[in-house]
Amino acid sequence: MTEKKETKLITKKRLKRVTRLLWVAFILVFVGVPLYIWSVSANIGNLYGELPTYSQLENPDQNLSSLLYSEDGVVLGSYYRNNRNPVTYDELGDNLINALLAAEDIRFDQHSGIDLASMFRVAFGVLTFNRQGGGSTVTQQLAKQLFSTRVARPEESGRLQGINRYLDELIYKTKEWILAVRLERSYTKEEIMAMYFNQVEFGSNTYGIQSAAQTYFNKNPNELSVEEAAVLVGLQKAVTGYNPVINPEASKRRRNVVMNQMVKYGLMEKELYDSLKVQDIQLDYRVQNQNQGLAQYFRAEIAKDLRAIGNEYGFDLYADGIKIYTTINSRIQMHAEAALDTAMRVLQRKFFNTLKDPDDSTKLLEPWLDDNDRIFPDFFEDIALPRTPRYRSLIKKYGEDSDSVDYYLNKPNRMKVFTWGGEVDTLMSPSDSLRHYKYFLQSGFMAVDPHSGQIKAWVGGNNFKYFKYDHVRLGKRQPGSLFKPLVYAKAIEMNYSPCYQLMDQAVSIPLPNGDIWSPQNALGQFSGEKMTLTAALAESKNSVSAQLIDIIKPENAVEMVKKLGIKSPIRPFHAMILGTHDVSLYEIVSAYGTFVNKGVHIEPHYVTRIEDRFGNVIYNKVPRKRTAINEEVAYVMLDMLKGVTHRLRYRWMQDYGLLYPSDSLDIGGKTGTTQNGSDGWFMGVTKDLVAGAWVGGDDRAIRFKAWTDGQGGRTAMPIVGGFFSRVYADTLLNLQHGPFIRPESIGIEIDCKKYELLRNPQDTIAEDEEIYQPF
């Protein structure tokens, strides 16, 4: 064979080989690649792992924050695992959209989920060892975020996954390509853009642009400036590395890169960029948590009920993005919190003053007292400290006799502690920290619209960040004389007039067990005069109340207080009329509301409806109501409560600048104080609102030494009075002064002059002669 023929043969073989290679390449590209993509899509032989179904694409599983709304449309707070509140495309604003397009996907509007130009650029960079950025589109990134394509559970993994990291990367990318195309077919470009911004993380436990804009700049997304939008878009490169709080200089550099890209693509003027690039990032950083905002105790307490409702109605409070519409009025709540805060600051100063050591005014005596008003020995070490979770955990870990328990309880730590002057950063041991907090009086307040049963304000304590315990519904203490009107209502129902008279004198009442009950009046004094029931209630005369319950019988009294709304266990003992059973503020406010609502008791409630994230109503609250007493009895009780607030010694409400009863405004009220002054209560009622407050120590031993200092008229009444002053002065609430609504006819005589004439028609009463009453 000649050389020429041999060359020709070799060339021919090479052509055949090239042709075969071209055919192989052709088959691989135009047959193999589609076949491979189809096999991944169909998960043939479970080689690659399952892809989301089309149903899941249309309803992706997102952890959305659930929002809590006041009745006047204010967002009170949110419940979440990931702090994410979705927005629509129209709520994003041009600055955010332009920043994202420039930084991540400038051809977003041209491609269908996969940007081939970017893919070839990335491939070329890999082959030439000169990477030129990523090739993932916004849609691909959304697919990765929505469906966690790179974090598969073992049961969801395919048989080829986990063999080789390069093979895993190919499978992951392929899935993202497939999902991106499917997303583009299922959603519009605007919807995809909004979904992206709602899904991605921004650090500081913020998910989605709404939470991010609020957290970093205290703005809504469409209010962000161009440089603020660039900061948040730049975070997508690395939420920690470019976090403006943790790494402000790195964040600034990344922001400038994003803005430079905007200039490059004509989305920002060069002159504006030059002026902004030198500026530091100006944050208004506010990490959203349950220790901020209005109604913190309310939000925490009702979360328990919302979880139970969720179990029944099939929603997840912390992930399903539901909307809870409550009865709380944000302005009324604001006034309630302000009233409590103002009153408790004054009261705490007074309490500290009574504790000053007479030998050293810079020191405070211990506030825990025994029944003889002496400092309770070893109270802190033997009672208060062992109750704490920290003490119990140390005992469990080291044993009761271990020195380690004392060591760790008394080891100083850096901490912030509460004072009424503001947080104090200090060095304090856990034991000293507990001791510090035991010196503070605690409080609770609740206000209800008695005609609907809707709770309008709920303040469970002084400061939710430092005192988590709720004193509205959880806390239960003896109400003292606050309980008397609930029992007096039974006497009125049994046709006893409020003008019925009993002697204010020492009494000895035989009890069924053979004991003798001889209750004392508050200050141990008896006037020896006859008193009307109205006067006795206003003066809180225990002697008259004791005689009254002996007449109407404890069993009947228990029946009445239950009808009025008290759910705590009440035993049919004579002493119950003096408020010896523990009840909650929630129950007491509920019961007093029955008087204003013409005898109809409505269970206090705080949710009107719950909607899913699409606006469908999934829960409607139907208030529970029942007739407890007739309208006449209810009005008579209101008239008797007016007698309390008209007492001369309560005119100091005016001296404190508080709202007080007048010809244009009826206010009824009642104080309650326990025997040693541990608990002070006050209930106030108007035609519009029923409000109650409690004040006391964490423990019953923590109290004022003088009973008069701890009585409800001095501790709790300023809270309620301050609240009424604020809400009736707020013109936006439109609460009008007015009297209690009187029934057309009253079969029970409430005019005590006429009552006496009816009882003794032979007697006459001079115009200026008065039956003994409190006003």
Side-chain angles (χ1 to χ4, degrees):
M1 184 181 294
T2 64
E3 185 178 340
K4 189 174 183 180
K5 286 184 178 181
E6 188 176 350
T7 302
K8 197 181 270 193
L9 183 61
I10 292 172
T11 302
K12 190 175 182 180
K13 287 181 178 179
R14 286 177 178 174
L15 285 172
K16 285 183 178 180
R17 192 178 299 120
V18 170
T19 303
R20 283 197 298 268
L21 288 173
L22 288 173
W23 274 107
V24 169
F26 176 84
I27 293 171
L28 284 174
V29 172
F30 294 99
V31 178
V33 170
L35 187 62
Y36 161 71
I37 293 174
W38 172 80
S39 67
V40 174
S41 177
N43 189 26
I44 298 300
N46 193 30
L47 294 173
Y48 313 100
E50 292 290 339
L51 281 171
T53 64
Y54 281 97
S55 175
Q56 290 172 317
L57 281 176
E58 293 175 2
N59 297 284
D61 186 14
Q62 294 177 291
N63 279 331
L64 302 178
S65 300
S66 295
L67 298 179
L68 193 73
Y69 289 90
S70 69
E71 70 164 1
D72 49 334
V74 174
V75 176
L76 296 174
S78 56
Y79 303 100
Y80 53 81
R81 292 190 185 92
N82 298 336
N83 185 14
R84 178 186 288 116
N85 299 315
V87 295
T88 64
Y89 178 83
D90 293 334
E91 295 171 310
L92 291 175
D94 291 340
N95 289 333
L96 274 171
I97 295 169
N98 291 338
L100 183 64
L101 293 176
E104 299 291 339
D105 192 356
I106 193 61
R107 286 178 290 276
F108 175 72
D109 291 323
Q110 284 79 52
H111 63 66
S112 298
I114 301 174
D115 186 358
L116 294 177
S118 294
M119 288 179 60
F120 285 128
R121 187 194 71 239
V122 171
F124 183 77
V126 171
L127 293 173
T128 59
F129 303 99
N130 182 26
R131 290 181 177 263
Q132 306 257 333
S136 293
T137 64
V138 164
T139 317
Q140 287 174 248
Q141 294 178 46
L142 175 61
K144 181 169 67 173
Q145 291 279 343
L146 278 177
F147 303 109
S148 302
T149 55
R150 303 184 178 222
V151 186
R153 293 190 292 269
E155 64 272 17
E156 296 176 346
S157 298
R159 289 157 53 197
L160 292 179
Q161 290 181 276
I163 297 174
N164 181 282
R165 66 187 182 93
Y166 297 109
L167 180 59
D168 285 345
E169 181 71 18
L170 177 61
I171 294 172
Y172 295 148
K173 275 293 183 184
T174 306
K175 286 184 174 183
E176 288 164 16
W177 295 334
I178 295 168
L179 290 174
V181 172
R182 290 181 180 179
L183 285 170
E184 291 276 350
R185 291 173 179 172
S186 300
Y187 298 96
T188 66
K189 287 290 186 180
E190 288 79 8
E191 289 172 331
I192 290 172
M193 180 68 74
M195 289 171 69
Y196 175 88
F197 272 115
N198 286 328
Q199 182 64 26
V200 292
E201 181 186 358
F202 291 89
S204 299
N205 194 30
T206 57
Y207 295 80
I209 192 62
Q210 177 69 37
S211 297
Q214 289 287 341
T215 298
Y216 290 105
F217 299 106
N218 193 29
K219 293 182 178 180
N220 291 319
N222 56 9
E223 298 170 338
L224 293 170
S225 64
V226 64
E227 67 273 22
E228 291 167 344
V231 168
L232 296 183
V233 168
L235 270 170
Q236 295 313 299
K237 190 77 170 176
V239 293
T240 301
Y242 294 119
N243 189 296
V245 177
I246 303 171
N247 298 305
E249 287 303 317
S251 179
K252 179 180 177 181
R253 289 194 300 271
R254 180 60 187 165
R255 176 201 68 182
N256 290 347
V257 168
V258 174
M259 290 195 299
N260 189 50
Q261 287 291 98
M262 295 175 72
V263 173
K264 175 182 175 181
Y265 293 115
L267 300 174
M268 181 179 181
E269 295 295 330
K270 180 69 163 59
E271 292 77 10
L272 179 59
Y273 167 72
D274 289 336
S275 66
L276 293 177
K277 70 178 182 180
V278 296
Q279 296 181 10
D280 292 332
I281 298 172
Q282 301 298 320
L283 297 175
D284 188 358
Y285 185 65
R286 304 184 182 192
V287 176
Q288 300 176 43
N289 58 56
Q290 298 301 329
N291 294 326
Q292 298 174 339
L294 282 173
Q296 296 162 24
Y297 287 94
F298 171 74
R299 283 148 42 192
E301 187 60 22
I302 71 163
K304 305 171 186 175
D305 297 334
L306 292 173
R307 288 194 293 267
I309 295 172
N311 291 337
E312 181 178 354
Y313 286 83
F315 64 80
D316 185 342
L317 177 64
Y318 299 96
D320 286 353
I322 63 171
K323 295 179 179 180
I324 306 114
Y325 295 91
T326 75
T327 63
I328 296 291
N329 181 285
S330 67
R331 296 193 66 80
I332 295 178
Q333 178 70 29
M334 176 185 66
H335 292 312
E337 293 182 10
L340 184 143
D341 185 271
T342 300
M344 290 305 297
R345 287 175 184 271
V346 174
L347 187 64
Q348 190 64 52
R349 283 197 298 270
K350 182 177 179 180
F351 188 53
F352 282 155
N353 286 336
T354 66
L355 295 175
K356 285 184 177 178
D357 189 331
D359 299 325
D360 185 353
S361 61
T362 64
K363 296 181 179 179
L364 297 179
L365 300 173
E366 293 179 332
W368 30 87
L369 305 175
D370 62 18
D371 292 338
N372 297 313
D373 296 332
R374 293 191 292 263
I375 292 176
F376 199 134
D378 301 323
F379 169 85
F380 183 79
E381 293 77 8
D382 294 348
I383 298 177
L385 196 58
R387 290 175 180 170
T388 63
R390 189 178 186 89
Y391 180 90
R392 292 196 294 267
S393 66
L394 289 172
I395 290 294
K396 184 177 180 179
K397 185 174 182 178
Y398 297 107
E400 292 189 14
D401 299 325
S402 174
D403 293 338
S404 296
V405 175
D406 287 336
Y407 172 78
Y408 285 109
L409 284 174
N410 293 287
K411 180 183 178 182
N413 301 296
R414 177 63 59 184
M415 65 177 71
K416 289 182 178 180
V417 296
F418 169 84
T419 74
W420 279 110
E423 287 183 334
V424 174
D425 197 337
T426 185
L427 199 64
M428 192 177 284
S429 71
S431 177
D432 288 338
S433 170
L434 177 65
R435 185 182 294 271
H436 167 78
Y437 286 121
K438 287 295 180 183
Y439 277 78
F440 287 92
L441 295 173
Q442 304 300 320
S443 58
F445 175 89
M446 184 170 121
V448 169
D449 177 346
H451 306 293
S452 64
Q454 294 185 352
I455 298 173
K456 298 302 176 185
W458 179 314
V459 191
N462 299 337
N463 184 292
F464 182 73
K465 181 176 180 180
Y466 291 97
F467 305 103
K468 299 294 188 187
Y469 191 77
D470 174 70
H471 292 288
V472 170
R473 190 167 66 173
L474 285 183
K476 292 188 176 184
R477 300 289 275 266
Q478 292 180 351
S481 294
L482 200 70
F483 211 66
K484 289 175 181 175
L486 310 186
V487 178
Y488 275 54
K490 185 61 182 179
I492 303 301
E493 187 180 61
M494 294 170 67
N495 290 320
Y496 284 89
S497 167
C499 301
Y500 181 75
Q501 296 182 359
L502 291 168
M503 289 293 295
D504 174 25
Q505 62 184 9
V507 294
S508 296
I509 298 175
L511 301 178
N513 63 0
D515 292 341
I516 302 296
W517 183 45
S518 302
Q520 298 294 308
N521 284 337
L523 298 177
Q525 300 174 346
F526 303 95
S527 67
E529 299 182 40
K530 280 189 175 184
M531 299 186 74
T532 65
L533 295 186
T534 297
L537 184 66
E539 299 284 350
S540 270
K541 295 295 185 180
N542 292 341
S543 57
V544 174
S545 297
Q547 296 171 67
L548 185 65
I549 195 170
D550 193 46
I551 293 171
I552 66 173
K553 303 307 177 189
E555 295 79 9
N556 295 325
V558 170
E559 178 191 12
M560 174 57 72
V561 300
K562 292 295 183 183
K563 286 197 300 182
L564 291 173
I566 301 299
K567 294 184 176 181
S568 294
I570 306 293
R571 293 175 294 177
F573 296 160
H574 282 69
M576 64 163 284
I577 195 172
L578 304 184
T580 55
H581 293 83
D582 287 352
V583 295
S584 68
L585 180 60
Y586 181 93
E587 293 173 277
I588 289 289
V589 173
S590 167
Y592 273 69
T594 307
F595 299 145
V596 185
N597 197 36
K598 301 180 179 181
V600 177
H601 176 262
I602 303 180
E603 185 75 22
H605 57 280
Y606 45 79
V607 172
T608 56
R609 73 183 189 279
I610 298 175
E611 295 178 356
D612 65 20
R613 59 176 169 165
F614 304 109
N616 302 310
V617 176
I618 54 178
Y619 173 83
N620 258 321
K621 175 64 180 179
V622 179
R624 287 181 288 181
K625 60 175 67 177
R626 65 176 184 277
T627 299
I629 53 179
N630 65 47
E631 185 178 357
E632 293 179 43
V633 173
Y635 181 79
V636 171
M637 291 310 304
L638 290 177
D639 195 66
M640 294 177 74
L641 292 175
K642 281 169 55 181
V644 176
T645 55
H646 279 85
R647 289 166 60 194
L648 290 177
R649 74 183 192 185
Y650 276 100
R651 287 292 183 182
W652 65 276
M653 291 172 73
Q654 182 178 3
D655 298 335
Y656 278 75
L658 305 178
L659 186 71
Y660 58 94
S662 65
D663 292 338
S664 65
L665 177 64
D666 279 350
I667 302 178
K670 187 68 188 81
T671 60
T673 313
T674 48
Q675 189 169 0
N676 60 6
S678 295
D679 304 280
W681 300 73
F682 189 80
M683 280 298 309
V685 298
T686 69
K687 66 180 181 62
D688 304 300
L689 293 167
V690 175
W694 165 87
V695 174
D698 258 343
D699 296 270
R700 298 176 203 261
I702 299 170
R703 56 184 174 85
F704 283 98
K705 189 171 185 177
W707 181 87
T708 52
D709 288 335
Q711 62 183 342
R714 298 182 185 274
T715 60
M717 195 191 72
I719 299 175
V720 177
F723 168 74
F724 280 140
S725 296
R726 285 172 165 83
V727 296
Y728 276 96
D730 188 338
T731 56
L732 294 178
L733 290 174
N734 198 31
L735 294 175
Q736 303 296 321
H737 287 207
F740 294 123
I741 299 175
R742 182 186 178 106
E744 291 184 4
S745 63
I746 301 178
I748 303 168
E749 186 56 66
I750 60 176
D751 185 322
C752 291
K753 290 182 181 179
K754 293 181 180 179
Y755 176 80
E756 283 300 309
L757 287 173
L758 289 171
R759 291 179 67 248
N760 303 294
Q762 72 280 7
D763 296 339
T764 60
I765 299 177
E767 285 294 323
D768 59 348
E769 185 179 350
E770 294 189 7
I771 304 300
Y772 181 73
Q773 295 194 74
F775 51 88

